[in-house]
Amino acid sequence: MSEYYLFQDTKKCIGCHTCVVACKSYKNLPQGPKISQIITVGPRIVGGLPKAAYTFMPCFHCENPWCVAACPTGAMQKRTPDGIVSVDPELCVGCKTCMSACPWGAPQWNPETGKVVKCDYCMDRIDQGLKPVCVTVCTTQCLNFGRANELPAVRRERYAQAMAALE
Amino acid sequence: MKEEVFSLCFMCSVRCPIQVTTEQGQVRFIEGNPHVAGMEGSLCARGAAGKAFLNDGQRLQTPLIRTGPRGSGEWREASWDEALDYVADRLKDIMAQHGSRSLILGERTQLSTHVSKTFVKALGSPNHFTHDALCKGSVNTACRSLFGYTDAQMGMDYSNTRHLVLYGRNFFEAVEVKQVRAFMKALDKGAKLTYIDPRVTVTATKAHRYWMIRPGTDLALNYALIHVILKEGLYDKEYVERWVLGMAELEAFVEPYTPTWAEEETGIPAEEIVEFAREVSREKPSVIFHFGYRGANHTNEIHLRRSIMILNTLMGSVEAKGGFFFKKGPGEVEAKPARKLTEQSFPEIRDPRFDKVGTPDFPLPDPNHGVAQRLPRAIMDEDPYPFKALIAYRFDPLMSIADTTLTKKALEKLDLVVAIEVNYSDTAWYADVILPESTYLERTDSIQQANGLKPQMFLRRKTVEPRYDTRSGPMILKELGERLGIGEYFPYENMDDLVRWQLEPTGFTLDDFEAKGFVAYTSQQIFWDRKDGLRFKTPSGKIEFVSSLLEDAGFPSFPPYEPVPHPPEHHFRLTTGRVALHTHVSTQNNPYLNELCSENVLWIHTDPAEVLGIQDGAWVDVSSSRGSGRVQARVTELIHPEAVFMLHGFGHEAERAERCHRKGLSDAMLQENVSDEIGGSPALHHTFVTVTPAEEKMA
């Protein structure tokens, strides 16, 4: 994995797609490719209440990325030292091998350029000390980004709050 | 070169503060203004699609003059001088023949509404209206009847609330960024959410309590809640004693409205109503019964909205931490608001308004906004007098007012229809002349006087030069005004001039907005003293359960509850609503938003669908007394069997808006133009429809 961790606090996600739109906008993408995506499951009635899951799917930036191994031209790269996996459009020939190789469907097809596009955690922004655009604009701040061991322990804190019987 | 400009979004009417990064004169990135507490980068999906809107080749690009029949889509491009001369000459003729009053200007409320009001007043016409009544006319009137303030003068302290109660207010889909974030914080601190809606929405999936209420019966639920709260003494006695007028009348009125009675009407079990009343009362005064964002569903709308605010009053939550507050203006700190052009003196106008607001016929709606849905009948019936010209300013009567066929007939009767627009709206498509406005990213706008717990001012700033041959609205109206001999009412040469003129009395300058995009009059939150400092603007100075506003106009404060009829056999109550990806009728053609939500479907409950032989995804014909159309069905148990639902804003007719042209079905085409005749909202859930299986897509 990359050194970074993009954590979605699903409890706060409202499935509003701001991340998806901002991502497309920042990458100037046409209709079609969704570098990041919100997948909604539900709603369904669970225990008498309607429940739904809104799951954020960018790229996992794998430790051993199959897309990189599969790429015949070296366009798909894992950069050092932080491990971000990105595609170099200069080298991409549009063979789609990475799309077949990735178990998560992360590499996307850009019909305008005839090349692959994928989440690169907005490397240009990371290098300026900023966060990926999806995280920056997230409506509820349910998306968190940082070094994997530095992210807040939201779930533990929430659980502790819920369990604490101080009253 | 990279630059950062603070501005205000305008992808919807919330006007969130934004920071726009530009590179070489192009917008690179838009985010929430990082200096504004509660924004800090956050946007909504529509706000994130602002760049796509700016660069869209399918928006208006140049003035257009119609060459074929109305609605034919035959246009010729015109220069600004030619288009403005054309409009001015036609208006001069019309006003010479039929008087200034034959002109109506309707707009979607915006920062420069004071300019359009000035334009109409200076010409001597009483006929300016906004879209507000379509959304919340009755909420406005309800609040004035109780507090003497409009709903717009009240806010909610979401971050400190302990319990938020929403009546169809689809909080997490009709998104206001700051408010959503503030309430998320409250949820994290253990606040509760109760959601009441005939349909399961995203908001329902985040609620602790969800009631699939029988559509239209929220008022019955509230009367039962009040019944329990009074009977069990659950209300804030000190607050009520001090501030309420008409408690005894309320008590007598709700006596018959027991939870058991309400169960029959609403379908909500009586014991759950009692349990909820007790639970919510434990958190008083930090509770919010939300009065609604859109309050325009039924003919008794004003009484539902009043009952909601009566519940808040009983909780003592009006002007309370975690409850409602009155928005404080600069006057609270001995300072002055920005000037408006409407502060100038105008020729006296004696004619009644087109909607008759303020006359004995329709005394109570807010004349600052008027009642938009009265437009078609006023034109058709020439009542109170003939109308000849309409300027539709970023307002689309054809898709926004119920009964499109009637509205279209009314527009046909006019001698001149002008659209000031950013999009190919259906009304623009139908107009004689289109004057294209620059988008919010391409123009500086009038000052936003942001009253609240801390009074502030915000500024929309031009971030890039206009992509196309478009202009800002206040400049268009000024130039039109000059041609019509009222140029002196527009004392500015450009938008910066206008803002400088507005700022003169405030002590702030344009430069003061450079650092953060806003200026604050104070750093302290202002709450009035709940014991002695509440300044209600009612004649009694109290919260008037028995309302002088209503009673003086001849309306009872507590008319007996009228049961909501069940739909006739094989009929459904047509309900409508919003999604996080679109704003009203204006964003359906946005490349990104269209990609994610390109048409609407008809939600229908599984049981009636089975009886009618309708399968999920099948095409169906939906018919009302006003029209019919074809759409795909979503068969689901997540909607009350008496209701069907469709998203508002689809079924566009304007051909040049290619992505959304004829995608989905328009709710306005099916809805009857019926109103709450006291409060002023349309009754958009009043219409019954039939749903029948259809063979295929094409109608």
Side-chain angles (χ1 to χ4, degrees):
Chain A
M1 301 287 275
S2 76
E3 287 181 20
Y4 305 109
Y5 177 36
L6 201 159
F7 166 61
Q8 181 199 14
D9 182 3
T10 48
K11 199 164 180 205
K12 285 168 86 170
C13 182
I14 55 172
C16 66
H17 288 84
T18 306
C19 45
V20 178
V21 175
C23 171
K24 290 199 68 153
S25 180
Y26 191 70
K27 298 291 186 188
N28 295 313
L29 292 178
Q31 274 202 346
K34 293 185 185 82
I35 292 181
S36 66
Q37 203 170 349
I38 289 279
I39 307 285
T40 300
V41 179
R44 266 197 231 78
I45 306 295
V46 180
L49 278 175
K51 293 287 171 199
Y54 311 100
T55 305
F56 182 63
M57 304 281 283
C59 164
F60 293 124
H61 297 270
C62 305
E63 177 63 29
N64 179 16
W66 294 2
C67 58
V68 172
C71 178
T73 67
M76 195 64 82
Q77 301 163 9
K78 181 179 165 187
R79 85 171 184 182
T80 45
D82 60 9
I84 289 178
V85 179
S86 67
V87 58
D88 181 347
E90 298 292 317
L91 297 176
C92 178
V93 293
C95 69
K96 308 186 188 75
T97 312
C98 56
M99 295 172 70
S100 307
C102 175
W104 325 108
Q108 298 276 307
W109 184 248
N110 183 343
E112 256 179 18
T113 58
K115 292 171 195 284
V116 157
V117 282
K118 73 173 286 297
C119 167
D120 62 359
Y121 280 157
C122 299
M123 287 194 300
D124 55 319
R125 288 174 58 85
I126 304 288
D127 294 343
Q128 296 170 63
L130 301 169
K131 296 189 168 170
V133 293
C134 55
V135 176
T136 302
V137 302
C138 176
T139 307
T140 64
Q141 291 189 314
C142 78
L143 294 182
N144 300 268
F145 183 82
R147 305 271 164 186
N149 56 354
E150 287 168 9
L151 281 172
V154 201
R155 284 182 184 149
R156 282 181 169 174
E157 276 167 26
R158 191 178 288 134
Y159 182 75
Q161 292 272 355
M163 290 298 107
L166 300 181
E167 282 165 14
Chain B
M1 209 186 68
K2 195 169 140 180
E3 264 185 280
E4 268 150 13
V5 187
F6 301 113
S7 189
L8 291 173
C9 185
F10 201 27
M11 292 297 287
C12 82
S13 304
V14 176
R15 297 181 266 271
C16 292
I18 51 174
Q19 173 177 291
V20 181
T21 307
T22 64
E23 272 171 14
Q24 281 88 39
Q26 303 284 334
V27 169
R28 177 78 185 99
F29 183 51
I30 307 172
E31 64 195 291
N33 183 335
H35 299 294
V36 175
M39 288 300 299
E40 290 138 347
S42 294
L43 277 184
C44 77
R46 300 157 300 166
K51 189 169 92 174
F53 171 47
L54 169 73
N55 295 325
D56 187 4
Q58 288 184 27
R59 70 172 162 97
L60 291 163
Q61 304 183 10
T62 178
L64 296 172
I65 297 176
R66 185 169 58 78
T67 54
R70 276 195 178 146
S72 64
E74 291 164 40
W75 303 97
R76 69 182 167 84
E77 294 185 3
S79 70
W80 273 100
D81 272 340
E82 192 189 359
L84 290 167
D85 286 344
Y86 182 95
V87 173
D89 289 347
R90 301 286 300 276
L91 275 179
K92 268 188 230 163
D93 285 349
I94 288 168
M95 291 193 296
Q97 224 183 319
H98 304 280
S100 308
R101 65 184 192 177
S102 64
L103 165 71
I104 306 177
L105 187 150
E107 71 181 321
R108 190 161 278 280
T109 317
Q110 45 131 357
L111 294 176
S112 291
T113 289
H114 70 116
V115 181
S116 18
K117 281 189 176 178
T118 296
F119 179 82
V120 178
K121 278 173 192 255
L123 287 175
S125 169
N127 295 315
H128 174 278
F129 71 91
T130 75
H131 79 292
D132 273 42
L134 294 175
C135 184
K136 60 190 187 67
S138 299
V139 185
N140 176 322
T141 310
C143 286
R144 279 183 290 123
S145 80
L146 286 159
F147 311 108
Y149 292 94
T150 70
D151 57 307
Q153 292 169 311
M154 302 180 78
M156 295 159 226
D157 184 15
Y158 292 105
S159 49
N160 291 306
T161 199
R162 300 295 304 154
H163 202 140
L164 175 63
V165 186
L166 303 169
Y167 300 80
R169 165 75 185 97
N170 190 359
F171 194 77
F172 292 130
E173 288 191 87
V175 171
E176 303 170 276
V177 174
K178 258 196 205 179
Q179 285 79 346
V180 164
R181 278 188 41 168
F183 183 58
M184 268 300 166
K185 222 190 250 176
L187 277 177
D188 237 2
K189 288 189 285 181
K192 291 278 180 284
L193 173 60
T194 291
Y195 187 66
I196 305 151
D197 192 325
R199 180 180 72 107
V200 170
T201 62
V202 170
T203 309
T205 69
K206 297 287 174 183
H208 301 92
R209 177 187 281 101
Y210 167 66
W211 280 330
M212 187 181 280
I213 194 168
R214 187 166 79 86
T217 64
D218 306 45
L219 181 58
L221 168 66
N222 278 0
Y223 285 160
L225 285 172
I226 296 171
H227 177 102
V228 176
I229 287 166
L230 296 191
K231 194 154 224 162
E232 300 193 4
L234 301 171
Y235 57 97
D236 184 335
K237 296 189 182 75
E238 202 183 333
Y239 183 91
V240 166
E241 183 106 329
R242 173 72 183 83
W243 295 113
V244 168
L245 200 70
M247 191 61 174
E249 286 85 345
L250 176 71
E251 215 155 0
F253 172 71
V254 295
E255 182 57 35
Y257 302 125
T258 63
T260 314
W261 166 84
E263 175 173 341
E264 183 77 12
E265 181 71 356
T266 63
I268 301 169
E271 64 274 14
E272 288 187 28
I273 297 175
V274 176
E275 189 190 306
F276 168 64
R278 290 172 186 163
E279 183 189 320
V280 76
S281 302
R282 280 196 288 274
E283 303 286 3
K284 67 178 179 290
S286 296
V287 300
I288 297 170
F289 288 83
H290 199 297
F291 56 36
Y293 205 47
R294 177 169 71 82
N297 298 332
H298 301 284
T299 51
N300 63 357
E301 197 71 29
I302 185 171
H303 292 294
L304 170 63
R305 303 301 154 180
R306 272 173 56 81
S307 72
I308 293 172
M309 293 314 290
I310 287 171
L311 280 164
N312 283 301
T313 304
L314 294 174
M315 295 294 105
S317 71
V318 178
E319 196 68 13
K321 214 165 177 63
F324 279 78
F325 56 83
F326 292 101
K327 293 181 182 172
K328 313 303 186 302
E332 294 282 331
V333 289
E334 316 286 318
K336 289 231 157 52
R339 268 202 289 191
K340 290 182 170 177
L341 289 179
T342 40
E343 290 166 32
Q344 303 172 96
S345 41
F346 297 97
E348 194 191 348
I349 296 167
R350 294 218 169 134
D351 295 305
R353 298 172 50 93
F354 76 97
D355 50 21
K356 298 198 205 171
V357 166
T359 72
D361 218 48
F362 211 11
L364 297 189
D366 189 344
N368 279 317
H369 297 290
V371 173
Q373 73 271 22
R374 283 217 166 177
L375 178 76
R377 279 257 76 94
I379 297 171
M380 292 302 291
D381 302 344
E382 306 195 344
D383 179 18
Y385 43 80
F387 301 96
K388 298 294 172 188
L390 173 72
I391 300 178
Y393 185 176
R394 227 186 305 100
F395 172 64
D396 189 355
L398 285 173
M399 290 199 75
S400 304
I401 296 178
D403 195 350
T404 305
T405 309
L406 173 68
T407 309
K408 196 173 264 182
K409 253 190 212 158
L411 295 194
E412 267 168 34
K413 207 162 171 269
L414 295 172
D415 293 344
L416 180 66
V417 179
V418 179
I420 302 175
E421 252 295 355
V422 283
N423 289 310
Y424 280 104
S425 69
D426 278 15
T427 300
W429 192 245
Y430 195 77
D432 304 322
V433 183
I434 305 177
L435 304 174
E437 198 187 21
S438 304
T439 68
Y440 67 99
L441 293 164
E442 302 165 306
R443 61 185 159 91
T444 294
D445 213 331
S446 296
I447 287 288
Q448 181 191 29
Q449 197 73 48
N451 293 344
L453 283 173
K454 297 178 201 167
Q456 297 171 322
M457 284 189 287
F458 286 80
L459 182 61
R460 173 172 296 134
R461 256 322 203 174
K462 177 155 91 172
T463 63
V464 291
E465 289 303 316
R467 304 283 89 154
Y468 306 117
D469 190 13
T470 60
R471 293 186 181 176
S472 67
M475 294 309 294
I476 298 172
L477 289 172
K478 172 190 162 70
E479 294 204 31
L480 213 45
E482 281 167 353
R483 286 167 167 80
L484 293 166
I486 53 165
E488 77 266 23
Y489 288 94
F490 305 92
Y492 52 90
E493 292 305 318
N494 53 53
M495 291 309 293
D496 278 18
D497 263 2
L498 175 55
V499 174
R500 271 192 286 268
W501 179 89
Q502 284 197 280
L503 286 174
E504 257 170 44
T506 68
F508 291 102
T509 68
L510 253 178
D511 291 342
D512 294 331
F513 291 83
E514 289 291 316
K516 295 180 175 177
F518 68 99
V519 295
Y521 289 90
T522 170
S523 56
Q524 298 298 314
Q525 287 196 343
I526 307 167
F527 273 103
W528 289 333
D529 175 28
R530 283 162 57 83
K531 217 161 179 196
D532 287 310
L534 302 189
R535 304 203 287 269
F536 300 110
K537 280 198 191 158
T538 49
S540 61
K542 297 211 170 185
I543 301 174
E544 296 189 348
F545 286 1
V546 174
S547 159
S548 47
L549 188 80
L550 288 172
E551 306 271 342
D552 291 353
F555 303 115
S557 300
F558 297 115
Y561 181 84
E562 283 182 34
V564 174
H566 297 274
E569 205 187 355
H570 300 317
H571 282 67
F572 302 88
R573 190 175 290 280
L574 177 65
T575 65
T576 181
R578 305 289 186 269
V579 67
L581 287 161
H582 286 297
T583 299
H584 306 305
V585 302
S586 67
T587 57
Q588 284 74 20
N589 205 50
N590 181 289
Y592 290 154
L593 301 175
N594 183 276
E595 180 181 6
L596 291 166
C597 180
S598 60
E599 49 191 297
N600 57 357
V601 294
L602 187 84
W603 293 44
I604 182 168
H605 188 273
T606 317
D607 294 345
E610 199 184 333
V611 172
L612 294 166
I614 295 164
Q615 276 165 12
D616 190 39
W619 290 92
V620 291
D621 284 326
V622 190
S623 307
S624 73
S625 68
R626 302 294 88 199
S628 68
R630 197 161 286 187
V631 71
Q632 272 175 299
R634 173 176 176 184
V635 177
T636 172
E637 285 177 354
L638 303 175
I639 185 165
H640 193 282
E642 281 191 12
V644 290
F645 169 87
M646 57 201 287
L647 284 176
H648 176 59
F650 287 87
H652 287 254
E653 293 288 338
E655 286 165 29
R656 287 194 194 173
E658 290 171 19
R659 300 177 201 99
C660 69
H661 177 232
R662 301 231 166 118
K663 288 283 173 64
L665 189 58
S666 163
D667 54 354
M669 186 269 293
L670 295 164
Q671 289 159 341
E672 296 160 10
N673 189 334
V674 179
S675 293
D676 165 3
E677 294 293 337
I678 302 170
S681 282
L684 297 175
H685 291 183
H686 188 77
T687 305
F688 291 128
V689 294
T690 57
V691 184
T692 49
E695 290 291 303
E696 55 193 9
K697 181 175 178 174
M698 287 304 293

